[in-house]
Structure formats: structure tokens, C-alpha cells
């Protein structure tokens, strides 16, 4: 029913964020590797917003680009002077004038807002309210606008600075999210004045103006965590912690084993199938998918990687963007894999760098192998065939191809292609001199004794 109504979401993102002490706009600071404002835009889209307008301050190009990553058609409007939340909403007056059934105003610095809550606010409009305000009960209401209710109706929002002592005692506060009907909104928004303690145009005054027209205004309650705003680094960390805690719970409910949930950090888009096990201290950057049966051992950093069914990673492994592990492939301790595909059952077990490479099924890459993919200017590819064996401590100088079932002797520096089934050894031959070793040991011991007599060997 609600879905049939058209909807415009206006995201206010003109905040200065001076308390972040950052050259980056406040709303671009990431939570779970996604700029806060994109979390908000995605929540709006998830509730069926037909149109998104973002209100930015000066130099808002980066904010606009971020929102357009999710909502390519987003309208970006500039609020050149920061004169209050109603003034900010009116910066989008041309978009409002296009005519929408519902308008939902959101703050760009409140990234945990849930689509369900926005849906409830819209449902309230569909049920007859002209305005619906999202409220919450913070542990400390100081600084928030208080919601003044009577007989189930919201009669006013009083900002802290304008509130009487009795009003300040109210613990039900304005979260900043407001939904209102679009048809008549412009007229009422334009009627908002700035005769208040801050001299700002308060969006919250829409409540009394709408009530004055004899229309219904409602408040719904959200949980405090989801409407937490971020204006300093401590709050950013707190919101990140809330997001991570919720994501860990979701993962476990979806059948993922987290041996020490609090030490696993997800990105906004980490995609993990059931029956994956994740050991302690694992950090995911964006763009990771993990198929069922995979195991991520302790202390791994994984981003932009796809791990196939039954793959294993770590402990202490780093998968960088473009790492792809097919079924049962294995990347062991102290290995780094970047832009490389490991075929089914391939093994890269110890102390190895694999970059810009394709490794065939069941190939075995010995300890300490390095693909020398970079010549100081360009990157080159290494291809290793199915069933190939690369002896430990080999350097594969790309571009180079090692064929199927080819064998590279330990310690080789491979600069030429190795045909299928061939053995390549590219190192000095061993020289062995009988007794010479013992002589050296004895000579060195004598030299040491002569230098500091009395010292034990
Ligand atoms: C606002 C609400 C208050 C509520 C609180 C919740 C009003 C008048 N007050 O107060 O009732 O409890 O949020 O956090 O709405 N912004 C602009 N342009 C402006 C002014 C603000 O884009 O000219 C944006 C800010 O970037 C921010 C949001 O609007 O994202 C809130 O603005 P702010 O002035 O911080 O409002 P509060 O004082 O927090």
C-alpha cells in the first residue's frame, strides 16, 4: 500500500563537522568502509525512494559523487549559508515542487538508520498523518529537541535552547528524521521563521505549523542506537562498533562460525555463506565473498577477494583485490595474493607473494616463492599450469609461463617460459669440498678465542 506512494528523500549533508578535525567532509567518513552518507542513501533507496536530493555545503562535489555511487540520479543542491535545517530542506525546493506523496528528511551523519524505521514513518503518512517524526529516548537528552505529545498526537518539538524546564524534563527526543506529505509541504516549509534562540530556520517548526492547520502529526519511536549521529571521532568509533556488533550477530545467525566475534571486522558488503568458519582477528575490507565450507584462520586481512568452497586462508595471510581462490584452494601463513587466481586445490602455503598471476588446478607453490610482477614501471603476468610444482624460494620473473606439470627446482630465478612437463633449474650448481667446512669452523673458533681468551664457545 505504502509502496504505491511516490517518495523523495532529502539528505541533509551540509554540516561542517569541525569537531571531526578533518579535511574530509563529515558525512564522507566511513563506517564499515562505506561513507556515512552512502549508508543513509542506501537506507532511503531500500524504502523505495523514487528520488534522492542531497543538500551539500560548499565544495560538496565529493559528497555528491558518493551519493551518486548508489543513486546515480540523485539531485545535489547546495546550501551556501548554513541557516538551519528548514533552510537546508528548502535548498531542495525545486525537487520538492516536482510533487511527491511522501518526503523523508534524513541527516547524512546518522548512518545506522534502518529502512524499517523509514517504512514505519511512511506508513504513518499513509494512515493519515500529515507529518511523522522519528523520536528516541537517549540516555542523556541534553541538546536534543524534545517531543511534546498530547493524546497520541505530536504537538510541538522544542529545541533545548528554547525549552522550558518542564519541557527539558521530557526524555522523548527528536532523532532528526522526519516524514511529511509532499503536496502541501512547500507552503508550510516557507512559513517557518527564525525567531528562536539560535536565529535558525528550524525544520522542527513544521510540527506546530501543520498542527495549526488542524492536521495530524505523529511521532514514532526508534531505538537510540539507530539514530546515533556522528560529529566527532569518538561517536564515529561508537557507531562503527554498533554496526560491527550487529553484523557479527547477523553472520552467526546466517550460519557462520565466529570463534571470537568481537575480533572480526566486516565491511558493509562482506558476503559470507553458511558453514564458513572465521577464527579470531580477521579484518575484511570491501568486496569480499566467501563460499560455504571455507575456513579463515586467525590474523588475516582480506579485501576485494573471492574465496571458493572449502578454501582456506591463513593464519597471517593477506588477500588483496582480485585474489580469487577456486574450490579447495589454499593460501597459508605469511602469504600475500593480489590480482591472482588460484585454481581448484592449488596451494600457496608459506611466505609467498603471488601477484598478477594465474595458477592452475592443484599446482603447488613452494615456500618463499615470489612472482616478480613489477619491473618498476609496468605489471606483468605469471602463468603457472595445472599440477605444476614450484620449488621453494623461487623467483618467477614475469611475464613468464610455467607449463602444466612442469617442475621448477628450488631456488630458481625463472626468466624464460617452462614448457609443459619440463624441469627447469635456474641456479648455481652446488660445490662440495670435503673437510673444508670443519676447517672453517675450527679456524673461526680459534680466531674468537684469540680475541677474547676465557670466553666459552
Ligand atoms: C537537530 C534537530 C533536533 C534534534 C537533533 C538530532 C532541528 C532544528 N533540530 O538539532 O530537534 O534533536 O537534530 O540530532 O532540526 N544541517 C544542514 N544545514 C543547516 C543546518 C543543519 O545541512 O543549515 C544538517 C547538519 O549537517 C546535520 C543536521 O542538519 O546533519 C542537523 O543539524 P544541526 O544543526 O546539527 O541540528 P541539531 O542542533 O543537532
Amino acid at each position: 500500500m505504502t509502496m504505491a506512494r511516490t517518495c523523495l528523500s532529502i539528505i541533509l549533508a551540509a554540516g561542517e563537522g569541525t569537531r571531526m578535525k578533518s579535511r574530509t567532509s563529515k558525512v564522507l567518513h566511513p563506517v564499515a568502509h562505506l561513507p556515512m552518507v552512502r549508508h543513509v542513501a542506501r537506507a532511503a533507496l531500500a524504502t523505495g525512494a523514487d528520488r534522492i536530493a542531497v543538500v551539500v555545503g560548499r565544495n560538496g562535489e565529493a559528497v555528491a559523487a558518493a551519493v551518486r555511487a548508489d543513486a546515480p540520479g540523485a539531485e545535489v543542491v547546495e546550501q551556501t549559508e548554513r541557516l538551519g535545517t528548514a533552510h537546508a530542506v528548502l535548498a531542495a525546493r525545486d525537487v520538492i515542487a516536482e510533487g511527491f506523496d511522501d518526503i523523508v528528511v534524513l541527516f547524512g551523519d546518522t548512518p545506522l538508520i534502518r529502512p524499517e524505521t523509514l517504512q514505519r514513518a511512511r506508513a504513518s503518512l499513509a494512515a493519515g498523518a500529515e507529518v511523522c517524526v522519528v523520536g528516541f529516548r537517549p540516555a542523556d537528552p541534553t541538546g536534543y529537541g524534545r517531543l511534546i505529545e498530547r493524546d497520541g498526537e505530536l504537538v510541538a518539538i522544542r529545541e533545548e535552547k528554547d525549552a522550558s524546564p518542564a519541557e527539558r524534563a521530557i526524555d522523548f527526543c527528536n532523532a532528526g528524521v522526519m516524514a511529511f506529505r509532499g503536496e502541501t509541504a512547500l507552503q508550510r516549509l516557507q512559513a517557518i521563521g527564525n525567531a528562536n534562540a539560535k536565529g535558525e530556520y528550524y525544520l522542527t517548526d513544521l510540527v506546530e505549523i501543520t498542527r495549526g492547520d488542524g492536521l495530524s502529526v505523529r511521532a514514532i519511536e526508534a531505538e537510540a542506537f539507530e539514530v546515533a549521529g556522528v560529529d566527532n571521532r569518538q561517536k564515529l568509533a561508537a557507531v562503527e562498533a554498533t554496526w560491527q556488533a550487529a553484523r557479527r550477530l547477523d553472520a552467526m545467525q546466517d550460519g557462520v562460525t565466529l570463534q571470537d566475534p568481537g575480533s572480526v571486522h566486516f565491511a558493509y558488503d562482506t558476503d559470507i555463506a553458511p558453514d564458513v568458519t572465521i577464527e579470531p582477528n580477521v579484518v575484511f575490507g570491501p568486496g569480499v565473498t566467501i563460499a560455504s565450507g571455507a575456513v579463515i584462520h586467525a590474523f588475516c586481512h582480506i579485501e576485494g577477494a573471492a574465496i571458493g568452497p572449502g578454501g582456506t586462508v591463513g593464519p597471517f595471510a593477506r588477500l588483496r583485490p582480485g585474489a580469487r581462490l577456486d574450490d579447495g584452494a589454499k593460501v597459508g601463513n605469511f602469504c600475500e595474493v593480489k590480482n591472482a587466481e588460484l585454481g581448484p586445490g592449488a596451494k600457496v602455503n608459506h611466505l609467498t607473494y603471488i601477484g598478477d598471476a594465474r595458477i592452475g588446478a592443484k599446482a603447488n607453490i613452494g615456500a618463499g616463492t615470489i612472482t616478480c610482477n613489477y619491473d618498476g614501471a609496468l605489471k606483468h603476468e605469471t602463468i603457472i599450469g595445472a599440477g605444476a610444482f614450484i620449488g621453494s624460494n623461487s623467483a618467477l620473473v614475469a611475464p613468464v609461463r610455467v607449463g602444466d606439470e612442469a617442475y621448477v627446482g628450488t631456488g630458481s630465478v625463472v626468466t624464460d617460459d617452462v614448457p609443459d612437463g619440463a624441469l627447469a633449474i635456474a641456479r648455481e650448481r652446488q660445490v662440495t669440498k670435503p673437510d673444508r667446512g670443519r676447517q672453517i669452523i675450527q679456524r673461526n673458533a680459534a680466531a674468537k678465542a684469540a680475541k677474547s681468551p676465557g670466553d666459552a664457545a
Side-chain angles (χ1 to χ4, degrees):
M1 196 175 60
T2 320
M3 296 313 288
R5 298 167 64 90
T6 58
C7 179
L8 163 68
S9 283
I10 302 176
I11 301 174
L12 304 191
E16 288 151 357
T18 46
R19 272 184 280 175
M20 298 291 280
K21 298 192 175 139
S22 175
R23 270 183 279 198
T24 302
S25 164
K26 174 172 68 168
V27 298
L28 290 179
H29 283 263
V31 168
H33 295 272
L34 189 74
M36 289 195 277
V37 73
R38 287 189 60 186
H39 283 272
V40 178
R42 288 155 78 101
L45 291 170
T47 22
D50 302 286
R51 199 109 149 81
I52 291 192
V54 202
V55 181
V56 298
R58 264 185 271 269
N59 307 318
E61 295 83 11
V63 176
V67 173
R68 284 186 175 137
D70 295 299
E75 194 72 37
V76 178
V77 292
E78 199 177 327
Q79 186 198 21
T80 42
E81 269 184 300
R82 204 176 181 283
L83 299 180
T85 43
H87 182 261
V89 169
L90 277 171
R93 60 160 58 77
D94 290 350
V95 194
I96 296 172
E98 288 172 20
F100 293 90
D101 296 318
D102 299 347
I103 294 178
V104 180
V105 177
L106 299 156
F107 291 170
D109 62 0
T110 308
L112 302 183
I113 188 73
R114 290 184 309 148
E116 292 81 355
T117 303
L118 304 182
Q119 205 59 60
R120 275 166 61 213
R122 291 188 64 195
S124 171
L125 303 187
E130 186 71 17
V131 176
C132 178
V133 173
V134 177
F136 73 118
R137 294 179 202 278
D140 176 11
T142 310
Y144 292 107
R146 307 301 205 283
L147 300 189
I148 303 167
E149 289 185 295
R150 200 175 304 134
D151 303 327
E153 283 282 311
L154 183 64
V155 296
I157 303 177
R158 197 77 69 228
E159 291 304 302
E160 170 96 9
K161 283 191 174 161
D162 304 297
S164 68
E167 288 167 341
R168 280 186 197 167
I170 295 170
D171 70 344
F172 194 27
C173 296
N174 176 23
V177 177
M178 191 186 278
F180 46 84
R181 287 173 180 246
E183 309 97 71
T184 50
L186 259 187
Q187 204 185 321
R188 289 198 196 96
L189 288 166
Q190 279 161 352
I192 291 173
N194 65 349
N196 52 54
K198 274 172 131 182
E200 282 188 3
Y201 296 89
Y202 287 165
L203 178 62
T204 46
D205 284 353
L206 189 65
V207 172
E208 278 172 286
I209 292 175
T210 306
R211 291 274 304 165
D213 289 342
L215 296 165
S216 169
V217 179
R218 299 273 173 166
I220 59 168
E221 186 169 343
E223 292 196 57
F225 78 82
E226 82 166 286
V227 293
V230 172
D231 62 0
N232 62 37
R233 307 272 180 164
Q234 295 94 304
K235 288 182 188 168
L236 180 65
V239 160
E240 177 79 36
T242 304
W243 189 95
Q244 292 292 344
R247 183 66 187 84
R248 290 169 192 138
L249 271 185
D250 284 350
M252 290 186 281
Q253 273 159 4
D254 291 345
V256 177
T257 292
L258 302 181
Q259 290 179 347
D260 178 17
S263 70
V264 177
H265 290 251
F266 295 102
Y268 70 100
D269 61 350
T270 311
D271 179 4
I272 307 180
D275 283 326
V276 166
T277 294
I278 300 176
E279 290 183 0
N281 295 299
V282 173
V283 175
F284 293 103
V288 175
T289 59
I290 308 181
S292 194
V295 177
I296 312 299
H297 294 291
F299 296 99
C300 289
H301 190 280
I302 302 176
E303 62 184 319
I307 299 161
T312 66
V313 179
F316 297 97
R318 178 171 185 211
L319 300 187
R320 291 170 51 205
R324 294 182 52 82
L325 278 60
D326 287 346
D327 297 22
K330 208 173 161 196
V331 174
N333 42 274
F334 306 108
C335 294
E336 174 179 341
V337 177
K338 182 220 72 167
N339 185 31
E341 180 167 348
L342 275 60
K347 288 184 193 162
V348 177
N349 271 342
H350 331 272
L351 301 144
T352 288
Y353 172 62
I354 298 293
D356 302 306
R358 274 186 286 138
I359 296 177
K362 296 208 166 132
N364 191 315
I365 312 299
T369 298
I370 306 289
T371 54
C372 308
N373 59 324
Y374 186 48
D375 60 14
L378 293 170
K379 302 280 170 65
H380 303 281
E381 193 177 43
T382 300
I383 295 171
I384 297 173
F389 183 95
I390 310 296
S392 296
N393 201 31
S394 291
L396 307 171
V397 183
V400 72
R401 178 180 180 278
V402 176
D404 292 350
E405 297 185 333
Y407 197 107
V408 170
T410 293
S412 291
V413 176
V414 179
T415 52
D416 299 328
D417 288 356
V418 183
D420 292 354
L423 165 68
I425 306 174
R427 62 167 189 245
E428 283 291 304
R429 276 210 165 273
Q430 181 170 331
V431 176
T432 307
K433 300 186 176 179
D435 286 327
R436 187 65 187 128
R438 193 181 302 114
Q439 287 167 10
I440 293 170
I441 290 168
Q442 287 172 353
R443 183 196 64 196
N444 290 350
K448 187 177 179 186
K451 205 174 170 198
S452 43
D455 268 15

